[in-house]
Amino acid sequence: MKKRLVAVLMTCAMGMTLLAGCGSDSSKGKDDSSKNSDGKVEITFWDNYADTIHTEVYTQLIEDFEKENPDITVKYVPLPSDQAKSKYDVAIQSNSTPDCGVIYQYWMNDFVIQDALAPLDEYYGDSDMLLDTFVDSMKNTAPDGKLYSLPFYVVPPALWYNTELLDAAGLEAPANWDEVFEYVEKLTDKDNGVYGFSIRGGAGSSQQLEQMLYQYSGITEMFDKDGNSTINDPKHVEFLENFAALYNKYTPESDITNASTEMISAFDSASAAMIFHNIGSYGQHRDTLGEGKFGAAIDLKAEDGSSVMVSNGVASLSVFKNSEHPEEAYKFISYLADHTANSLFNEKLGSIPCNKEALADEWVQNSAPVKAAADMLLNPETKIATLPVEVTGYFDLHTNTLATDFQNVLLGNETAQEYLDKWAEQMTSLKKTYDENVVSK
């Protein structure tokens, strides 16, 4: 059970013109128009987190893949992270999905229910290149227990801190959230443009808040025995009241609209002493601030002193059912999941590889935050808070409602109790519908 919970937890946070252009390439006709004039097969690959680093590494990997497979051309399509899910949704409804792409585990069930993904069990077979915990996780998340996606990388949550600013204030790395709240005030120096913390108040904010809440409380069950959401537990209300009180006092006023990019930029420019993100931004901190100038508190202890890891899913690789070239599409995503490519990608991004050999590579052992996150993940003493990534509507609730309402809490227009009570009511309803329409069938 522990193995399954770790898997599900890691089980590691999206423009119609672009989508229309992509769709024309992925809507293959019976004349096999996806073949180039020279007879090569062209497949389309969507990246769900377009930024400079992702584009650079995918471009390199695609170039290497095409050299090894001269009969296949890969068209790379970068999607803005805050639009990626909606672009996939529209593509599914219009039958214009790509051949393959990166998706988050908490999207997968929604896509499977819409019959958009191709099962990969026959392709993957008895391969053991990926860690069993992550493969089992993908199967456990799917309503029919099939493998619809290859685990690619994991980005557990992390509190990043500027070591130079902490040293100047005579502070050690924070051990729990109480110390974080204490440090925020001490590290704020508005006269010199330094704030103790930068909050993600825009896109993706409620998902990171959810991770903070369960890490703080130590609660590992998302629903109680009666099927009610635990998100409005009194400990969570207490945390949110303290956290929201930081805004515009020890954080920049502009945080209210921050997505991950702006928050990370604040940290990397040393204008924010601490941020809460995930291990996936390690590569950017390393390349911008430099090794030794920042650290990561991976294991912020819960109130009872226990170690709790919370995450909202594996980033994974899927083949879409509409693909006219599923074998070539699988060949490409399998290449990305294999040792060399998986290691190169994760080393550049600073995330945890799902490939067994890549996880054992020297760079993992030499990257302190990545190694700490991997060690905590695999530690049997770690308590796992398994977010309800399998519940249909979970991601859309965060995107369409919770992020905007969180801004109202920061602005003082809604109390922490009111916000979490609404969240609990909505999540309880989604879970009931999921159990009735999916689990019971």
Side-chain angles (χ1 to χ4, degrees):
M1 177 62 72
K2 170 71 174 181
K3 178 179 178 182
R4 179 180 182 274
L5 287 177
V6 172
V8 173
L9 156 69
M10 299 315 300
T11 66
C12 36
M14 265 202 59
M16 296 304 301
T17 301
L18 174 61
L19 179 60
C22 304
S24 62
D25 286 284
S26 54
S27 300
K28 317 291 192 298
K30 295 298 182 182
D31 61 350
D32 202 12
S33 59
S34 59
K35 280 193 175 182
N36 296 326
S37 58
D38 56 6
K40 291 184 179 180
V41 169
E42 180 180 271
I43 59 173
T44 303
F45 170 72
W46 282 12
D47 167 17
N48 69 340
Y49 199 99
D51 63 11
T52 302
I53 298 176
H54 282 77
T55 298
E56 287 178 356
V57 70
Y58 279 128
T59 298
Q60 177 182 344
L61 292 173
I62 289 171
E63 182 179 336
D64 293 342
F65 173 80
E66 290 178 342
K67 286 179 181 178
E68 294 182 17
N69 300 272
D71 57 334
I72 304 174
T73 298
V74 180
K75 180 174 182 178
Y76 169 66
V77 180
L79 304 179
S81 61
D82 61 346
Q83 300 174 29
K85 174 60 162 57
S86 63
K87 287 184 179 293
Y88 272 122
D89 285 336
V90 173
I92 291 170
Q93 292 301 313
S94 60
N95 293 314
S96 59
T97 49
D99 294 279
C100 54
V102 184
I103 69 170
Y104 290 121
Q105 186 169 3
Y106 47 90
W107 300 350
M108 190 182 73
N109 238 16
D110 188 20
F111 293 175
V112 171
I113 290 171
Q114 295 181 74
D115 199 29
L117 302 181
L120 306 178
D121 303 80
E122 291 187 10
Y123 291 113
Y124 190 71
D126 59 359
S127 173
D128 64 350
M129 69 174 174
L130 303 173
L131 287 164
D132 291 340
T133 53
F134 299 125
V135 175
D136 291 345
S137 166
M138 306 312 291
K139 292 180 179 180
N140 289 332
T141 302
D144 57 6
K146 294 182 180 179
L147 181 66
Y148 286 96
S149 212
L150 299 183
F152 191 23
Y153 64 90
V154 179
V155 285
L159 182 125
W160 297 101
Y161 56 86
N162 184 302
T163 54
E164 292 184 336
L165 292 174
L166 262 66
D167 289 344
L171 301 172
E172 301 289 337
N176 53 53
W177 275 103
D178 288 337
E179 289 190 357
V180 172
F181 290 135
E182 176 187 340
Y183 287 11
V184 167
E185 180 177 359
K186 294 180 178 179
L187 291 166
T188 298
D189 182 5
K190 292 184 179 180
D191 291 340
N192 290 305
V194 177
Y195 292 86
F197 205 91
S198 179
I199 291 175
R200 183 175 182 173
S205 59
S206 58
Q207 291 164 283
Q208 290 197 325
L209 172 63
E210 188 175 30
Q211 295 171 336
M212 298 180 206
L213 294 174
Y214 284 97
Q215 185 183 60
Y216 174 80
S217 69
I219 296 171
T220 59
E221 298 300 326
M222 299 298 109
F223 300 93
D224 64 21
K225 60 182 178 60
D226 296 318
N228 298 310
S229 171
T230 58
I231 195 68
N232 61 341
D233 184 89
K235 291 182 180 179
H236 294 164
V237 176
E238 174 186 75
F239 177 91
L240 182 52
E241 289 174 342
N242 292 331
F243 188 70
L246 303 179
Y247 173 65
N248 204 21
K249 185 176 182 181
Y250 305 118
T251 77
E253 184 178 5
S254 59
D255 279 4
I256 194 72
T257 57
N258 270 0
S260 60
T261 300
E262 293 79 15
M263 179 183 66
I264 292 169
S265 295
F267 180 74
D268 286 347
S269 66
S271 63
M274 295 183 291
I275 61 171
F276 186 86
H277 189 232
N278 59 56
I279 201 70
S281 55
Y282 166 67
Q284 189 167 339
H285 304 324
R286 176 195 61 209
D287 296 343
T288 306
L289 288 171
E291 291 284 12
K293 295 186 177 181
F294 66 95
I298 306 295
D299 185 10
L300 287 174
K301 301 296 185 183
E303 280 197 319
D304 62 2
S306 61
S307 297
V308 180
M309 181 170 277
V310 190
S311 187
N312 53 7
V314 174
S316 59
L317 301 154
S318 289
V319 173
F320 284 81
K321 203 166 187 179
N322 280 346
S323 173
E324 292 287 336
H325 302 289
E327 292 185 5
E328 288 84 356
Y330 180 79
K331 192 170 189 177
F332 177 63
I333 67 167
S334 178
Y335 170 83
L336 293 178
D338 208 355
H339 178 203
T340 301
N342 197 249
S343 185
L344 189 154
F345 177 92
N346 283 285
E347 181 178 11
K348 184 66 176 176
L349 273 295
S351 43
I352 297 177
C354 295
N355 181 281
K356 292 179 180 178
E357 293 179 285
L359 188 60
D361 282 346
E362 185 177 359
W363 72 265
V364 175
Q365 309 308 312
N366 295 335
S367 303
V370 178
K371 185 177 186 303
D375 288 347
M376 185 178 176
L377 164 64
L378 300 174
N379 185 347
E381 298 300 316
T382 299
K383 291 169 60 178
I384 303 302
T386 308
L387 297 182
V389 296
E390 77 285 358
V391 175
T392 306
Y394 168 81
F395 177 80
D396 292 335
L397 176 62
H398 276 285
T399 302
N400 300 327
T401 302
L402 296 176
T404 300
D405 288 351
F406 175 59
Q407 292 175 330
N408 287 327
V409 177
L410 295 180
L411 293 170
N413 298 328
E414 187 171 20
T415 68
Q417 185 73 64
E418 290 170 339
Y419 175 65
L420 294 177
D421 281 347
K422 286 197 305 182
W423 185 342
E425 181 180 357
Q426 291 166 312
M427 201 62 229
T428 299
S429 176
L430 287 177
K431 180 64 162 59
K432 181 180 179 181
T433 300
Y434 174 77
D435 288 344
E436 291 175 347
N437 297 332
V438 178
V439 176
S440 63
K441 290 185 177 181

